[in-house]
Amino acid sequence: MSFFDSRDPAFDSYVLGNAPVKQLATGFDWVEGPVWFGDAGCLLFSDIPNNRIVRWTPGSGVTTYRQPSNYSNGHTRDREGRLVSCEHGARRVTRTEHDGRITVIADSFEGKRLNSPNDVVVKSDGTIWFTDPHYGIMTNYEGYAAEQELPCNLYRVDPASGRMDAMVTDANCPNGLAFSPDESRLYMADTGRMFSDDPQHIRAFDVGSAGRLAGGDVFHVIEPGCSDGLRVDVDGNLWSSAADGVHCISSNGDLLGKILVPELVSNVCFGGRAKHELYMTATTSIYRVTLNRQGVQHP
């Protein structure tokens, strides 16, 4: 059985033929938002319908990190190593302090409640960027059904000043996010409005010196399925979730190859001792594959 579908010779050097795609744990309902904690040697991820954040530790397996979790979805770490989370249920973005206290980063914009923050990244200047589609308020499965008060935007928050700006306002439903290694480009998945036939694609924006975005053209279209979660390796290749696994896309937008996974993948992150392992949340399970490539990740 082959775990890889190569479309370009470059991809052959990224994967290891004897490294399997390994299922690490299963039995969840819908897993999302993986984030690696290198200092703790563990992976955190969301089991959204079960309202919990789960911890997976090599050699120890699965334990519950936080329950209830306000139906958390995407996670990342800030430049001080703190967990930053998107919460569907509370319709907010939070930060878990080192002492366990939870700080609210954003829960409203211009006097209206956020929809259901989905995915989040932190730039080297400390600013927090997150997408706010409506998925978590459309039904009671991943949160609480509620009226939508705001468009589905991409936001940036400066935690030092508290200033919050809508950076992309013309997306249907912005989702996964990733900066290029030098942060000159921001990738954003647009998975479309629920119950619609919106186009689904990855867009690329040029990041200006003041943090403003320009461009936003379609960068790549995933087939089959659509892009949900994104991560970037040190060479600038984009690794995106897809219906058949994870797709590796060059910085030019060309498909280099696929990692084949037997479940629909929702999100990915790099981890392990050398940031050379790709962790994949896929419907009811989490998977891992060792690569000959390192991810851009902090701390």
Side-chain angles (χ1 to χ4, degrees):
M1 175 183 177
S2 175
F3 298 103
F4 310 112
D5 177 5
S6 178
R7 304 297 179 90
D8 187 284
F11 185 73
D12 298 331
S13 67
Y14 298 168
V15 298
L16 302 167
N18 61 343
V21 173
K22 186 175 182 179
Q23 186 186 70
L24 302 177
T26 191
F28 311 104
D29 285 346
W30 174 246
V31 285
E32 253 281 12
V35 57
W36 178 257
F37 274 68
D39 45 359
C42 69
L43 180 79
L44 296 184
F45 60 95
S46 297
D47 183 11
I48 304 177
N50 289 310
N51 196 17
R52 62 176 177 159
I53 300 173
V54 181
R55 178 197 293 112
W56 177 84
T57 306
S60 301
V62 167
T63 56
T64 296
Y65 173 79
R66 179 180 296 158
Q67 189 174 31
S69 67
N70 287 323
Y71 296 94
S72 291
N73 188 336
H75 306 281
T76 192
R77 300 184 78 183
D78 69 7
R79 297 291 158 161
E80 296 182 36
R82 297 170 294 188
L83 177 68
V84 179
S85 303
C86 293
E87 299 179 2
H88 281 184
R91 300 169 71 169
R92 65 185 188 177
V93 178
T94 62
R95 181 179 65 232
T96 301
E97 308 296 345
H98 292 302
D99 62 5
R101 290 179 299 112
I102 294 178
T103 299
V104 177
I105 301 298
D107 59 6
S108 63
F109 183 68
E110 297 181 343
K112 298 178 181 179
R113 295 190 69 188
L114 296 176
N115 299 316
S116 52
N118 186 288
D119 211 346
V120 58
V121 292
V122 177
K123 200 166 176 281
S124 61
D125 61 4
T127 54
I128 297 167
W129 301 63
F130 70 92
T131 53
D132 187 38
H134 62 200
Y135 299 130
I137 59 172
M138 294 301 290
T139 71
N140 289 307
Y141 187 59
E142 296 185 17
Y144 303 100
E147 292 295 321
Q148 181 176 343
E149 299 178 30
L150 287 166
C152 298
N153 295 330
L154 164 68
Y155 296 99
R156 178 187 65 190
V157 178
D158 183 346
S161 67
R163 180 185 174 94
M164 179 173 172
D165 295 290
M167 306 302 292
V168 176
T169 59
D170 65 347
N172 291 313
C173 266
N175 205 319
L177 294 171
F179 281 104
S180 62
D182 64 1
E183 298 184 335
S184 65
R185 179 183 286 180
L186 175 67
Y187 298 103
M188 183 187 78
D190 189 343
T191 45
R193 292 167 294 179
M194 188 176 288
F195 313 126
S196 77
D197 58 356
D198 288 337
Q200 298 175 314
H201 45 235
I202 302 170
R203 297 172 64 182
F205 297 86
D206 296 322
V207 183
S209 57
R212 309 308 299 184
L213 301 181
D217 293 338
V218 174
F219 170 75
H220 186 84
V221 177
I222 293 291
E223 176 63 39
C226 64
S227 176
D228 188 342
L230 308 169
R231 289 295 186 275
V232 173
D233 68 25
V234 292
D235 296 318
N237 300 302
L238 188 67
W239 299 76
S240 170
S241 62
D244 57 351
V246 176
H247 294 190
C248 178
I249 305 155
S250 76
S251 58
N252 294 323
D254 299 321
L255 176 63
L256 301 180
K258 302 180 180 183
I259 300 171
L260 302 178
V261 179
E263 298 183 71
L264 186 150
V265 175
S266 62
N267 214 326
V268 298
C269 78
F270 286 94
R273 59 179 172 78
K275 302 175 186 175
H276 66 304
E277 297 171 342
L278 188 69
Y279 290 85
M280 300 161 277
T281 49
T283 311
T284 66
S285 309
I286 56 170
Y287 295 84
R288 180 187 64 196
V289 63
T290 300
L291 300 174
N292 188 30
R293 201 45 94 241
Q294 293 175 297
V296 173
Q297 182 175 308
H298 61 271

